[in-house]
C-alpha cells in the first residue's frame, strides 16, 4: 500500500446507492474524478437487480452483505444506522475504509468524526471506520470554526431550517405528495412527518427525547463538540423542518471569547476554504437554500452585531446532500488518499 499513488484506481462501494445521498455520492465521485477502478452499487434486497448510473454507465445494484466488501478500498455508507453497525466493521476487517454517513459511529472514541477543512489530522488515527457528521452539523461547524480560530467561541444559540431531503427520499416524496393534494384542493395527509409539511414549519427533526430536545438537536451539540475538540462548548439549538426540497439554513448567535467585529468576521469567513460570504443588505443580497443547491460551499450572510450584547448574528446555508453528506464523505476519502492512508 505504501507504494500506492494517489491516482491509482481504487475499488469503491456505495451502500445505499439508490437513496438520496447515495445518488449524489455516485454523481460526485465521477464529477470530482475520484480514482474509481471498480464501482459496486449496494442497497437492500428491494433494489437488488435495478440499475443506477455511474459516470454514464448503468451499474446493477446488489444486495449489501459482508462479502460485498472483499477487495474494497473505500465503502461509502448512506443507508441505515443498523446496516452501518453490522457492515462497516466488515469493511475494516477486510482492510478497507468505511466512510459512514449514519449516526452509528459518530461519537465512538475509536472513530474519527471529520470535516476535512477543520480536523483532517483526526484521520491519521483511523481504524477502518471514519464517520461523517450530520448534515446540519457540517454547515454549522464550517461557519463557526473560522470565528473560533480568530476569536474563540464561548457560546452559540442556533435555529436551523432543514430541508425535507435531509430525511432522504421519504421526506421529498411526502412534500411532493402533499403539494399535489393541496393543488387538488384536498387537505394534506401526513404520513412520514407527524404534521403536514406543505405550507408549514415543524419544530421537530427526527424524534423527541424525554428532555424535550429532538435527537437531531442533540447530534448537533455532541458532534460539534467532538469535531472542534471543545467538550464543554455551550451550544443550544432548535431544529425546524421546512418545506424546502434541498438546502439547510441556520441562524446563529455567537458569543466569542475576544472582541470580533462583523467586518473582521466577514474577512475570516471569506478566507476559510469552503466558505463564501454573500452579504450586502443594502442590495437585499443574502444566501438562500435555492442559491446553495448544487454547490459545495457553505454560504454565509447577514453578519451583524447583536443589538443587546457583543454577540454576532449570522445566517448560513449549505446543500445537505452535497457538503452535508456526499461531498464531505468524498473529501474524506480524497484526504486519506493524499495522506497515503489508503
Ligand atoms: N439526506 C441527507 O441530507 C443526509 C445527510 C447526512 C446524512 N444522511 C444519512 O445518510 C443515510 C442515507 O440517507 P438518505 O437521505 O440517502 O436516505 P434514503 O433516500 O431513504 O435512502 C436510503 C438508502 O439506504 C438503502 N437501504 C435501506 N435499508 C437497507 C438495508 N437493510 N440494506 C441495504 N441498503 C438499505 C436504500 O436502499 P433500497 O433502495 O434498497 O431501499 C436506499 O438506497 C442515512 O443514514 C442518513 O441519516 C442523510
Amino acid at each position: 500500500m505504501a507504494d500506492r499513488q494517489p491516482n491509482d484506481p481504487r475499488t469503491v462501494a456505495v451502500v445505499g446507492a439508490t437513496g438520496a445521498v447515495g445518488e449524489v455520492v455516485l454523481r460526485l465521485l465521477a464529477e470530482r474524478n475520484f480514482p474509481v477502478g471498480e464501482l459496486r452499487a449496494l442497497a437492500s434486497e428491494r433494489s437488488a437487480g435495478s440499475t443506477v448510473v455511474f459516470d454514464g454507465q448503468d451499474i446493477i445494484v446488489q444486495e449489501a452483505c459482508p462479502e460485498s466488501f472483499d477487495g474494497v478500498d473505500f465503502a461509502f455508507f448512506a443507508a441505515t444506522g443498523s446496516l452501518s453497525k453490522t457492515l462497516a466493521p466488515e469493511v475494516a476487517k477486510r482492510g478497507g475504509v468505511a466512510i459512514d454517513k449514519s449516526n452509528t459511529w459518530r461519537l465512538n472514541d475509536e472513530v474519527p468524526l471529520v470535516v476535512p477543512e477543520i480536523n483532517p489530522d483526526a484521520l491519521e488515527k483511523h481504524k477502518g471506520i471514519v464517520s461523517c457528521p450530520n448534515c446540519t452539523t457540517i454547515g454549522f461547524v464550517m461557519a463557526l470554526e473560522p470565528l473560533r480560530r480568530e476569536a474563540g467561541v464561548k457560546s452559540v444559540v442556533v435555529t436551523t431550517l432543514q430541508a425535507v431531503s435531509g430525511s432522504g427520499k421519504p421526506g421529498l416524496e411526502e412534500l411532493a405528495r402533499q403539494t399535489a393534494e393541496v393543488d387538488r384542493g384536498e387537505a394534506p395527509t401526513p404520513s412520514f412527518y407527524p404534521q403536514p409539511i406543505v405550507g408549514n414549519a415543524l419544530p421537530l427533526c427526527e424524534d423527541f427525547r424525554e428532555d424535550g430536545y429532538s435527537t437531531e438537536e442533540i447530534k448537533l451539540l455532541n458532534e460539534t463538540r467532538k469535531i472542534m475538540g471543545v467538550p464543554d462548548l455551550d451550544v443550544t439549538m432548535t431544529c425546524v423542518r421546512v418545506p424546502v426540497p434541498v438546502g439547510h439554513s441556520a441562524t446563529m448567535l455567537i458569543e466569542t471569547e475576544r472582541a470580533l467585529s462583523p467586518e473582521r468576521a466577514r474577512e475570516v469567513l471569506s478566507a476559510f476554504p469552503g466558505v463564501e460570504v454573500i452579504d450586502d443588505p443594502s442590495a437585499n443580497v443574502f444566501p438562500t437554500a435555492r442559491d446553495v443547491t448544487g454547490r459545495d460551499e457553505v454560504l454565509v450572510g447577514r453578519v451583524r452585531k447583536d443589538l443587546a450584547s457583543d454577540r454576532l448574528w449570522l445566517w448560513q446555508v449549505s446543500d445537505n446532500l452535497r457538503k452535508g453528506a456526499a461531498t464531505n464523505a468524498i473529501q474524506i476519502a480524497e484526504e486519506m488518499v493524499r495522506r497515503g492512508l489508503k
Side-chain angles (χ1 to χ4, degrees):
M1 196 171 76
D3 297 326
R4 223 159 176 204
Q5 298 303 307
N7 284 330
D8 287 347
R10 267 67 175 183
T11 300
V12 172
V14 178
V15 188
T18 53
V21 173
E23 282 177 358
V24 183
V25 171
L26 289 172
R27 202 162 67 236
L28 294 191
L29 282 168
E31 199 177 296
R32 295 175 74 93
N33 290 319
F34 191 80
V36 177
E38 181 190 340
L39 191 288
R40 298 182 195 165
L42 308 171
S44 77
E45 61 171 345
R46 290 182 293 275
S47 302
S50 66
T51 55
V52 291
V53 177
F54 169 67
D55 205 11
Q57 305 224 320
D58 285 342
I59 309 274
I60 295 175
V61 176
Q62 295 174 317
E63 184 180 354
C65 65
E67 294 70 36
S68 310
F69 304 105
D70 288 342
V72 159
D73 294 299
F74 288 106
F76 295 95
F77 278 77
T80 64
S82 56
L83 196 74
S84 298
K85 191 166 188 182
T86 15
L87 290 186
E90 296 291 339
V91 178
K93 205 158 83 185
R94 288 166 167 78
V97 176
I99 300 178
D100 185 31
K101 273 306 314 166
S102 83
N103 188 35
T104 305
W105 301 98
R106 290 187 187 139
L107 300 183
N108 186 309
D109 288 341
E110 305 283 298
V111 175
L113 178 66
V114 175
V115 177
E117 293 89 342
I118 297 177
N119 62 339
D121 292 346
L123 291 169
E124 298 286 344
K125 291 191 178 148
H126 86 92
K127 294 179 177 163
I129 303 177
V130 177
S131 209
C132 222
N134 181 265
C135 43
T136 310
T137 308
I138 293 179
F140 179 71
V141 293
M142 285 288 289
L144 197 56
E145 179 67 5
L147 307 184
R148 186 182 77 90
R149 289 186 190 178
E150 176 70 12
V153 170
K154 261 195 204 160
S155 71
V156 193
V157 181
V158 53
T159 302
T160 67
L161 304 159
Q162 301 188 205
V164 292
S165 61
S167 319
K169 286 191 171 173
L172 284 163
E173 284 159 9
E174 179 112 330
L175 177 59
R177 184 178 46 73
Q178 290 183 1
T179 303
E181 287 170 343
V182 169
D183 285 349
R184 291 195 300 268
E186 298 166 11
T189 50
S191 153
F192 182 71
Y193 297 119
Q195 293 199 36
I197 187 66
V198 67
N200 216 354
L202 310 182
L204 168 63
C205 293
E206 292 199 334
D207 306 304
F208 281 125
R209 302 166 9 129
E210 281 192 354
D211 60 8
Y213 284 89
S214 67
T215 47
E216 181 86 349
E217 288 161 353
I218 299 303
K219 285 184 202 170
L220 180 57
L221 171 67
N222 290 334
E223 294 174 19
T224 298
R225 288 175 166 176
K226 179 169 173 177
I227 296 160
M228 291 191 157
V230 186
D232 57 353
L233 186 68
D234 181 357
V235 181
T236 187
M237 57 275 134
T238 306
C239 292
V240 181
R241 187 75 65 195
V242 291
V244 166
V246 178
H248 288 352
S249 310
T251 172
M252 298 163 56
L253 178 62
I254 302 158
E255 182 184 13
T256 53
E257 283 168 359
R258 297 175 291 284
L260 182 63
S261 67
E263 295 72 27
R264 182 65 188 146
R266 281 189 207 98
E267 279 172 15
V268 297
L269 284 159
S270 297
F272 198 75
V275 176
E276 190 176 321
V277 174
I278 298 179
D279 194 10
D280 184 1
S282 66
N284 289 339
V285 170
F286 45 79
T288 68
R290 287 183 83 100
D291 298 324
V292 87
T293 298
R295 294 188 60 174
D296 289 323
E297 299 83 1
V298 172
L299 308 182
V300 177
R302 301 222 51 208
V303 182
R304 64 204 189 277
K305 198 180 151 303
D306 183 42
L307 292 177
S309 70
D310 285 336
R311 294 181 290 181
L312 281 182
W313 281 104
L314 60 78
W315 169 256
Q316 166 267 115
V317 295
S318 64
D319 183 326
N320 51 295
L321 297 175
R322 289 181 71 115
K323 183 57 183 166
T327 303
N328 198 73
I330 297 172
Q331 284 176 317
I332 287 172
E334 290 169 348
E335 184 66 26
M336 295 185 80
V337 165
R338 203 165 18 248
R339 288 173 178 243
L341 294 171
K342 193 70 213 154

